Amino acid sequence: MNDIFKSLTEKEIILPKYFKDYKYGMEFFHNELTTLNTNIFIINKIRKFPFDIFCPHPDDSTFFSMVINNFFEYSIIIISRLFKDTGKDCFTLPEFKRRIILKYIRPEYKRDFIDRIKEVNFKKLTADILNRIHELRNKRIAHNLEKFVKDPNNIRLINFNELKQLQDCANQLFDNLSFEIECSKVLLPYNEKVINPKGSDPRTDIEKILDCVAKESAFLNYPEKNIKFPILWDNKKKRMAKRELNIFYKYRDKLGFPKL
């Protein structure tokens, strides 16, 4: 990244008559990205949880499936309106970037700023994904276009890794539009850089909820439920795959179960 901006303040870079507009835009898009990043943080925590072990029956994880689906769709809406909405009054990140280049930034810094934002090769990396996201938003999430919804290939045009790729590019573009110290773009309880007070529980709320699911599961409580018949636990343990055993002992230790 070009170092010229590290020694300058926003007021030195942005023309005074556009400074208020610039600050408004940065605050607006910061809020949008904070929501997006928080959605994806929660989705990722749920996706990584071993529901197949703790909740083998699909009905036992309906709530979490609904959370993922709704947060995923809302993230698609955010990405679409950040980058793909068109029209005279649409306020998108590309439009905001264009305003900075054409109007907001002082002329002597324009060339360096253009070089700075070129470091985010957004179009080359994500054009296809963005087009599919916008199509999904317009034809399935915001509207139900019959021809589109009848095609089974369109049920999920975007996967989670592609959504994260767009998230990373969006965050990097925002950072390159900013001339201040890098700020957090996730809600404070989910910021991994936050140092929790000594003796406090460092887990986020979603982690606590998922841990409760594990703690109440028949899988984790099997030895205690069959304490009068230890042979049952011995036999079950012999049949468990390595992954199951690792998860069993990891969560037993994490949640304070008695040693076996």
Side-chain angles (χ1 to χ4, degrees):
M1 185 178 290
N2 198 317
D3 289 332
I4 189 173
F5 296 108
K6 290 186 176 180
S7 59
L8 299 169
T9 66
E10 289 178 329
K11 288 189 175 181
E12 292 174 307
I13 298 166
I14 302 298
L15 290 166
K17 64 179 178 178
Y18 295 118
F19 188 74
K20 185 177 179 180
D21 291 335
Y22 169 78
K23 292 297 288 184
Y24 169 82
M26 292 303 293
E27 182 178 349
F28 173 81
F29 289 116
H30 176 266
N31 290 337
E32 287 282 276
L33 288 173
T34 296
T35 302
L36 174 68
N37 293 330
T38 301
N39 284 352
I40 292 176
F41 177 93
I42 293 172
I43 291 172
N44 201 36
K45 289 292 183 184
I46 295 174
R47 287 178 75 251
K48 289 182 176 180
F49 186 76
F51 282 101
D52 60 318
I53 289 178
F54 293 125
C55 303
H57 196 287
D59 289 348
D60 292 336
S61 56
T62 301
F63 168 79
F64 296 100
S65 297
M66 292 298 294
V67 169
I68 287 178
N69 185 67
N70 282 280
F71 280 20
F72 195 95
E73 288 195 353
Y74 188 38
S75 296
I76 284 175
I77 290 172
I78 294 173
I79 287 284
S80 183
R81 72 189 182 202
L82 281 176
F83 290 101
K84 294 293 289 183
D85 277 0
T86 57
K88 181 181 176 181
D89 296 322
C90 289
F91 194 32
T92 65
L93 263 176
E95 167 60 21
F96 184 60
K97 177 184 70 175
R98 188 185 70 84
R99 291 182 193 178
I100 296 175
I101 294 172
L102 296 180
K103 296 195 301 182
Y104 297 174
I105 199 163
R106 294 178 188 270
E108 60 267 34
Y109 299 125
K110 184 176 292 189
R111 183 70 260 169
D112 291 303
F113 178 70
I114 291 172
D115 291 340
R116 174 186 175 103
I117 58 177
K118 279 182 178 178
E119 293 175 7
V120 187
N121 199 354
F122 199 87
K123 288 186 177 179
K124 183 178 179 181
L125 285 173
T126 61
D128 174 62
I129 307 174
L130 274 174
N131 287 336
R132 284 186 280 126
I133 270 190
H134 199 52
E135 185 177 24
L136 192 60
R137 182 264 180 202
N138 289 338
K139 297 180 179 180
R140 176 63 186 92
I141 298 175
H143 312 281
N144 283 328
L145 301 192
E146 187 174 5
K147 186 176 179 180
F148 184 83
V149 299
K150 278 185 174 180
D151 186 346
N153 295 321
N154 293 330
I155 292 175
R156 181 57 62 86
L157 283 178
I158 303 295
N159 63 45
F160 182 70
N161 289 334
E162 289 173 326
L163 188 66
K164 277 197 60 63
Q165 184 179 341
L166 287 174
Q167 173 201 20
D168 293 340
C169 287
N171 286 330
Q172 188 181 351
L173 178 58
F174 177 87
D175 288 341
N176 282 17
L177 298 180
S178 173
F179 306 109
E180 292 290 296
I181 298 173
E182 185 177 340
C183 58
S184 172
K185 293 180 289 296
V186 67
L187 292 178
L188 189 61
Y190 298 151
N191 189 333
E192 295 176 351
K193 294 181 180 179
V194 170
I195 300 175
N196 293 283
K198 188 175 181 180
S200 66
D201 189 341
R203 296 175 300 166
T204 60
D205 52 5
I206 182 61
E207 290 173 300
K208 291 176 183 177
I209 291 169
L210 292 170
D211 283 349
C212 283
V213 173
K215 192 171 185 178
E216 296 296 320
S217 68
F219 175 76
L220 219 58
N221 288 276
Y222 192 89
E224 284 75 17
K225 290 286 180 68
N226 296 280
I227 196 168
K228 294 182 179 180
F229 307 98
I231 188 66
L232 294 176
W233 164 239
D234 290 337
N235 290 337
K236 182 176 178 63
K237 184 165 60 173
K238 290 175 184 177
R239 296 193 303 269
M240 288 167 66
K242 183 178 180 180
R243 172 176 173 264
E244 291 178 303
L245 279 171
N246 288 340
I247 290 173
F248 177 84
Y249 287 115
K250 172 187 173 182
Y251 275 89
R252 293 268 305 190
D253 182 61
K254 177 183 182 181
L255 300 174
F257 279 73
K259 297 288 184 182
L260 295 175

PDB file of all heavy atoms in Angstrom, residues 74-97:
ATOM      1  N   TYR A  74     -29.399 -12.383   3.981  1.00  0.00           N
ATOM      2  CA  TYR A  74     -29.229 -10.956   4.278  1.00  0.00           C
ATOM      3  C   TYR A  74     -27.840 -10.473   3.859  1.00  0.00           C
ATOM      4  O   TYR A  74     -27.677  -9.347   3.393  1.00  0.00           O
ATOM      5  CB  TYR A  74     -29.480 -10.683   5.758  1.00  0.00           C
ATOM      6  CG  TYR A  74     -29.501  -9.212   6.097  1.00  0.00           C
ATOM      7  CD1 TYR A  74     -30.069  -8.285   5.224  1.00  0.00           C
ATOM      8  CD2 TYR A  74     -28.949  -8.736   7.278  1.00  0.00           C
ATOM      9  CE1 TYR A  74     -30.086  -6.929   5.521  1.00  0.00           C
ATOM     10  CE2 TYR A  74     -28.962  -7.381   7.584  1.00  0.00           C
ATOM     11  CZ  TYR A  74     -29.530  -6.485   6.702  1.00  0.00           C
ATOM     12  OH  TYR A  74     -29.542  -5.146   6.988  1.00  0.00           O
ATOM     13  N   SER A  75     -26.840 -11.329   3.990  1.00  0.00           N
ATOM     14  CA  SER A  75     -25.490 -10.973   3.552  1.00  0.00           C
ATOM     15  C   SER A  75     -25.452 -10.779   2.037  1.00  0.00           C
ATOM     16  O   SER A  75     -24.755  -9.888   1.536  1.00  0.00           O
ATOM     17  CB  SER A  75     -24.491 -12.068   3.963  1.00  0.00           C
ATOM     18  OG  SER A  75     -24.420 -12.172   5.374  1.00  0.00           O
ATOM     19  N   ILE A  76     -26.195 -11.597   1.312  1.00  0.00           N
ATOM     20  CA  ILE A  76     -26.284 -11.443  -0.145  1.00  0.00           C
ATOM     21  C   ILE A  76     -26.924 -10.099  -0.488  1.00  0.00           C
ATOM     22  O   ILE A  76     -26.480  -9.394  -1.404  1.00  0.00           O
ATOM     23  CB  ILE A  76     -27.087 -12.608  -0.757  1.00  0.00           C
ATOM     24  CG1 ILE A  76     -26.221 -13.869  -0.785  1.00  0.00           C
ATOM     25  CG2 ILE A  76     -27.577 -12.272  -2.167  1.00  0.00           C
ATOM     26  CD1 ILE A  76     -26.936 -15.116  -1.248  1.00  0.00           C
ATOM     27  N   ILE A  77     -27.955  -9.722   0.254  1.00  0.00           N
ATOM     28  CA  ILE A  77     -28.616  -8.433   0.020  1.00  0.00           C
ATOM     29  C   ILE A  77     -27.627  -7.288   0.266  1.00  0.00           C
ATOM     30  O   ILE A  77     -27.550  -6.332  -0.517  1.00  0.00           O
ATOM     31  CB  ILE A  77     -29.848  -8.287   0.929  1.00  0.00           C
ATOM     32  CG1 ILE A  77     -30.953  -9.251   0.475  1.00  0.00           C
ATOM     33  CG2 ILE A  77     -30.375  -6.849   0.923  1.00  0.00           C
ATOM     34  CD1 ILE A  77     -32.140  -9.318   1.412  1.00  0.00           C
ATOM     35  N   ILE A  78     -26.863  -7.376   1.354  1.00  0.00           N
ATOM     36  CA  ILE A  78     -25.889  -6.324   1.671  1.00  0.00           C
ATOM     37  C   ILE A  78     -24.842  -6.205   0.565  1.00  0.00           C
ATOM     38  O   ILE A  78     -24.552  -5.107   0.079  1.00  0.00           O
ATOM     39  CB  ILE A  78     -25.211  -6.592   3.027  1.00  0.00           C
ATOM     40  CG1 ILE A  78     -26.220  -6.487   4.162  1.00  0.00           C
ATOM     41  CG2 ILE A  78     -24.068  -5.591   3.257  1.00  0.00           C
ATOM     42  CD1 ILE A  78     -25.665  -6.894   5.520  1.00  0.00           C
ATOM     43  N   ILE A  79     -24.270  -7.339   0.161  1.00  0.00           N
ATOM     44  CA  ILE A  79     -23.250  -7.327  -0.892  1.00  0.00           C
ATOM     45  C   ILE A  79     -23.825  -6.740  -2.182  1.00  0.00           C
ATOM     46  O   ILE A  79     -23.185  -5.921  -2.858  1.00  0.00           O
ATOM     47  CB  ILE A  79     -22.726  -8.750  -1.157  1.00  0.00           C
ATOM     48  CG1 ILE A  79     -21.829  -9.222  -0.003  1.00  0.00           C
ATOM     49  CG2 ILE A  79     -21.968  -8.810  -2.473  1.00  0.00           C
ATOM     50  CD1 ILE A  79     -20.452  -8.613   0.013  1.00  0.00           C
ATOM     51  N   SER A  80     -25.049  -7.152  -2.521  1.00  0.00           N
ATOM     52  CA  SER A  80     -25.670  -6.678  -3.753  1.00  0.00           C
ATOM     53  C   SER A  80     -25.884  -5.169  -3.727  1.00  0.00           C
ATOM     54  O   SER A  80     -25.597  -4.473  -4.706  1.00  0.00           O
ATOM     55  CB  SER A  80     -27.004  -7.402  -3.974  1.00  0.00           C
ATOM     56  OG  SER A  80     -27.589  -7.021  -5.187  1.00  0.00           O
ATOM     57  N   ARG A  81     -26.370  -4.654  -2.617  1.00  0.00           N
ATOM     58  CA  ARG A  81     -26.627  -3.216  -2.573  1.00  0.00           C
ATOM     59  C   ARG A  81     -25.334  -2.409  -2.409  1.00  0.00           C
ATOM     60  O   ARG A  81     -25.277  -1.238  -2.776  1.00  0.00           O
ATOM     61  CB  ARG A  81     -27.635  -2.883  -1.476  1.00  0.00           C
ATOM     62  CG  ARG A  81     -27.155  -2.997  -0.053  1.00  0.00           C
ATOM     63  CD  ARG A  81     -28.325  -2.851   0.899  1.00  0.00           C
ATOM     64  NE  ARG A  81     -27.922  -2.896   2.296  1.00  0.00           N
ATOM     65  CZ  ARG A  81     -28.738  -3.209   3.287  1.00  0.00           C
ATOM     66  NH1 ARG A  81     -30.013  -3.515   3.030  1.00  0.00           N
ATOM     67  NH2 ARG A  81     -28.319  -3.229   4.539  1.00  0.00           N
ATOM     68  N   LEU A  82     -24.276  -3.035  -1.887  1.00  0.00           N
ATOM     69  CA  LEU A  82     -22.995  -2.349  -1.779  1.00  0.00           C
ATOM     70  C   LEU A  82     -22.320  -2.180  -3.133  1.00  0.00           C
ATOM     71  O   LEU A  82     -21.619  -1.197  -3.373  1.00  0.00           O
ATOM     72  CB  LEU A  82     -22.048  -3.106  -0.846  1.00  0.00           C
ATOM     73  CG  LEU A  82     -22.241  -2.954   0.659  1.00  0.00           C
ATOM     74  CD1 LEU A  82     -21.272  -3.856   1.410  1.00  0.00           C
ATOM     75  CD2 LEU A  82     -22.057  -1.505   1.098  1.00  0.00           C
ATOM     76  N   PHE A  83     -22.518  -3.169  -4.037  1.00  0.00           N
ATOM     77  CA  PHE A  83     -21.722  -3.181  -5.253  1.00  0.00           C
ATOM     78  C   PHE A  83     -22.502  -3.217  -6.558  1.00  0.00           C
ATOM     79  O   PHE A  83     -21.978  -2.807  -7.587  1.00  0.00           O
ATOM     80  CB  PHE A  83     -20.775  -4.395  -5.231  1.00  0.00           C
ATOM     81  CG  PHE A  83     -19.683  -4.274  -4.221  1.00  0.00           C
ATOM     82  CD1 PHE A  83     -19.780  -4.942  -3.020  1.00  0.00           C
ATOM     83  CD2 PHE A  83     -18.584  -3.477  -4.460  1.00  0.00           C
ATOM     84  CE1 PHE A  83     -18.775  -4.820  -2.073  1.00  0.00           C
ATOM     85  CE2 PHE A  83     -17.580  -3.345  -3.523  1.00  0.00           C
ATOM     86  CZ  PHE A  83     -17.670  -4.023  -2.320  1.00  0.00           C
ATOM     87  N   LYS A  84     -23.731  -3.720  -6.553  1.00  0.00           N
ATOM     88  CA  LYS A  84     -24.398  -3.974  -7.821  1.00  0.00           C
ATOM     89  C   LYS A  84     -25.644  -3.132  -8.072  1.00  0.00           C
ATOM     90  O   LYS A  84     -26.163  -3.128  -9.185  1.00  0.00           O
ATOM     91  CB  LYS A  84     -24.785  -5.453  -7.930  1.00  0.00           C
ATOM     92  CG  LYS A  84     -23.597  -6.402  -7.997  1.00  0.00           C
ATOM     93  CD  LYS A  84     -22.796  -6.229  -9.282  1.00  0.00           C
ATOM     94  CE  LYS A  84     -23.560  -6.749 -10.481  1.00  0.00           C
ATOM     95  NZ  LYS A  84     -22.753  -6.659 -11.723  1.00  0.00           N
ATOM     96  N   ASP A  85     -26.165  -2.460  -7.070  1.00  0.00           N
ATOM     97  CA  ASP A  85     -27.363  -1.645  -7.294  1.00  0.00           C
ATOM     98  C   ASP A  85     -27.056  -0.521  -8.290  1.00  0.00           C
ATOM     99  O   ASP A  85     -25.973   0.087  -8.241  1.00  0.00           O
ATOM    100  CB  ASP A  85     -27.864  -1.045  -5.981  1.00  0.00           C
ATOM    101  CG  ASP A  85     -28.731  -2.016  -5.208  1.00  0.00           C
ATOM    102  OD1 ASP A  85     -28.935  -3.135  -5.708  1.00  0.00           O
ATOM    103  OD2 ASP A  85     -29.192  -1.665  -4.112  1.00  0.00           O
ATOM    104  N   THR A  86     -27.998  -0.266  -9.158  1.00  0.00           N
ATOM    105  CA  THR A  86     -27.822   0.790 -10.155  1.00  0.00           C
ATOM    106  C   THR A  86     -28.992   1.758 -10.075  1.00  0.00           C
ATOM    107  O   THR A  86     -30.054   1.435  -9.574  1.00  0.00           O
ATOM    108  CB  THR A  86     -27.747   0.207 -11.578  1.00  0.00           C
ATOM    109  OG1 THR A  86     -28.931  -0.564 -11.824  1.00  0.00           O
ATOM    110  CG2 THR A  86     -26.518  -0.675 -11.745  1.00  0.00           C
ATOM    111  N   GLY A  87     -28.775   2.947 -10.573  1.00  0.00           N
ATOM    112  CA  GLY A  87     -29.830   3.959 -10.520  1.00  0.00           C
ATOM    113  C   GLY A  87     -29.266   5.268 -10.006  1.00  0.00           C
ATOM    114  O   GLY A  87     -28.226   5.304  -9.332  1.00  0.00           O
ATOM    115  N   LYS A  88     -29.961   6.311 -10.268  1.00  0.00           N
ATOM    116  CA  LYS A  88     -29.490   7.658  -9.948  1.00  0.00           C
ATOM    117  C   LYS A  88     -29.200   7.854  -8.467  1.00  0.00           C
ATOM    118  O   LYS A  88     -28.217   8.500  -8.092  1.00  0.00           O
ATOM    119  CB  LYS A  88     -30.529   8.681 -10.412  1.00  0.00           C
ATOM    120  CG  LYS A  88     -30.139  10.121 -10.166  1.00  0.00           C
ATOM    121  CD  LYS A  88     -31.238  11.058 -10.648  1.00  0.00           C
ATOM    122  CE  LYS A  88     -30.881  12.509 -10.319  1.00  0.00           C
ATOM    123  NZ  LYS A  88     -31.950  13.446 -10.757  1.00  0.00           N
ATOM    124  N   ASP A  89     -30.027   7.288  -7.606  1.00  0.00           N
ATOM    125  CA  ASP A  89     -29.902   7.552  -6.166  1.00  0.00           C
ATOM    126  C   ASP A  89     -29.245   6.412  -5.382  1.00  0.00           C
ATOM    127  O   ASP A  89     -29.222   6.451  -4.147  1.00  0.00           O
ATOM    128  CB  ASP A  89     -31.282   7.840  -5.569  1.00  0.00           C
ATOM    129  CG  ASP A  89     -31.901   9.102  -6.149  1.00  0.00           C
ATOM    130  OD1 ASP A  89     -31.154  10.070  -6.380  1.00  0.00           O
ATOM    131  OD2 ASP A  89     -33.127   9.105  -6.381  1.00  0.00           O
ATOM    132  N   CYS A  90     -28.746   5.377  -6.075  1.00  0.00           N
ATOM    133  CA  CYS A  90     -28.130   4.241  -5.369  1.00  0.00           C
ATOM    134  C   CYS A  90     -26.757   4.635  -4.835  1.00  0.00           C
ATOM    135  O   CYS A  90     -25.912   5.156  -5.571  1.00  0.00           O
ATOM    136  CB  CYS A  90     -28.007   3.039  -6.302  1.00  0.00           C
ATOM    137  SG  CYS A  90     -29.606   2.287  -6.693  1.00  0.00           S
ATOM    138  N   PHE A  91     -26.554   4.371  -3.571  1.00  0.00           N
ATOM    139  CA  PHE A  91     -25.290   4.722  -2.902  1.00  0.00           C
ATOM    140  C   PHE A  91     -24.476   3.447  -2.713  1.00  0.00           C
ATOM    141  O   PHE A  91     -24.733   2.662  -1.799  1.00  0.00           O
ATOM    142  CB  PHE A  91     -25.600   5.383  -1.555  1.00  0.00           C
ATOM    143  CG  PHE A  91     -24.428   6.086  -0.927  1.00  0.00           C
ATOM    144  CD1 PHE A  91     -23.450   6.686  -1.695  1.00  0.00           C
ATOM    145  CD2 PHE A  91     -24.320   6.147   0.452  1.00  0.00           C
ATOM    146  CE1 PHE A  91     -22.380   7.346  -1.105  1.00  0.00           C
ATOM    147  CE2 PHE A  91     -23.262   6.805   1.063  1.00  0.00           C
ATOM    148  CZ  PHE A  91     -22.295   7.416   0.274  1.00  0.00           C
ATOM    149  N   THR A  92     -23.521   3.223  -3.588  1.00  0.00           N
ATOM    150  CA  THR A  92     -22.712   2.002  -3.554  1.00  0.00           C
ATOM    151  C   THR A  92     -21.252   2.346  -3.258  1.00  0.00           C
ATOM    152  O   THR A  92     -20.823   3.508  -3.406  1.00  0.00           O
ATOM    153  CB  THR A  92     -22.776   1.264  -4.901  1.00  0.00           C
ATOM    154  OG1 THR A  92     -22.158   2.092  -5.911  1.00  0.00           O
ATOM    155  CG2 THR A  92     -24.214   0.959  -5.301  1.00  0.00           C
ATOM    156  N   LEU A  93     -20.489   1.335  -2.888  1.00  0.00           N
ATOM    157  CA  LEU A  93     -19.058   1.556  -2.651  1.00  0.00           C
ATOM    158  C   LEU A  93     -18.328   2.013  -3.919  1.00  0.00           C
ATOM    159  O   LEU A  93     -17.505   2.933  -3.851  1.00  0.00           O
ATOM    160  CB  LEU A  93     -18.415   0.286  -2.086  1.00  0.00           C
ATOM    161  CG  LEU A  93     -18.254   0.220  -0.565  1.00  0.00           C
ATOM    162  CD1 LEU A  93     -17.700  -1.136  -0.151  1.00  0.00           C
ATOM    163  CD2 LEU A  93     -17.351   1.324  -0.044  1.00  0.00           C
ATOM    164  N   PRO A  94     -18.570   1.399  -5.087  1.00  0.00           N
ATOM    165  CA  PRO A  94     -17.927   1.904  -6.302  1.00  0.00           C
ATOM    166  C   PRO A  94     -18.270   3.359  -6.607  1.00  0.00           C
ATOM    167  O   PRO A  94     -17.415   4.126  -7.053  1.00  0.00           O
ATOM    168  CB  PRO A  94     -18.456   0.965  -7.398  1.00  0.00           C
ATOM    169  CG  PRO A  94     -18.753  -0.301  -6.685  1.00  0.00           C
ATOM    170  CD  PRO A  94     -19.280   0.124  -5.355  1.00  0.00           C
ATOM    171  N   GLU A  95     -19.548   3.750  -6.368  1.00  0.00           N
ATOM    172  CA  GLU A  95     -19.932   5.140  -6.591  1.00  0.00           C
ATOM    173  C   GLU A  95     -19.227   6.063  -5.607  1.00  0.00           C
ATOM    174  O   GLU A  95     -18.769   7.156  -5.968  1.00  0.00           O
ATOM    175  CB  GLU A  95     -21.452   5.282  -6.455  1.00  0.00           C
ATOM    176  CG  GLU A  95     -21.972   6.715  -6.361  1.00  0.00           C
ATOM    177  CD  GLU A  95     -21.629   7.573  -7.565  1.00  0.00           C
ATOM    178  OE1 GLU A  95     -21.351   7.015  -8.654  1.00  0.00           O
ATOM    179  OE2 GLU A  95     -21.628   8.804  -7.415  1.00  0.00           O
ATOM    180  N   PHE A  96     -19.111   5.627  -4.354  1.00  0.00           N
ATOM    181  CA  PHE A  96     -18.425   6.428  -3.344  1.00  0.00           C
ATOM    182  C   PHE A  96     -16.944   6.575  -3.701  1.00  0.00           C
ATOM    183  O   PHE A  96     -16.366   7.661  -3.581  1.00  0.00           O
ATOM    184  CB  PHE A  96     -18.591   5.771  -1.978  1.00  0.00           C
ATOM    185  CG  PHE A  96     -18.010   6.560  -0.835  1.00  0.00           C
ATOM    186  CD1 PHE A  96     -18.455   7.846  -0.557  1.00  0.00           C
ATOM    187  CD2 PHE A  96     -17.023   6.006  -0.030  1.00  0.00           C
ATOM    188  CE1 PHE A  96     -17.923   8.567   0.509  1.00  0.00           C
ATOM    189  CE2 PHE A  96     -16.492   6.723   1.034  1.00  0.00           C
ATOM    190  CZ  PHE A  96     -16.940   8.006   1.297  1.00  0.00           C
ATOM    191  N   LYS A  97     -16.346   5.499  -4.157  1.00  0.00           N
ATOM    192  CA  LYS A  97     -14.945   5.539  -4.594  1.00  0.00           C
ATOM    193  C   LYS A  97     -14.783   6.539  -5.747  1.00  0.00           C
ATOM    194  O   LYS A  97     -13.815   7.320  -5.773  1.00  0.00           O
ATOM    195  CB  LYS A  97     -14.500   4.147  -5.033  1.00  0.00           C
ATOM    196  CG  LYS A  97     -13.076   4.072  -5.580  1.00  0.00           C
ATOM    197  CD  LYS A  97     -12.754   2.678  -6.082  1.00  0.00           C
ATOM    198  CE  LYS A  97     -13.522   2.347  -7.334  1.00  0.00           C
ATOM    199  NZ  LYS A  97     -13.131   1.042  -7.917  1.00  0.00           N
TER     200      LYS A  97
END
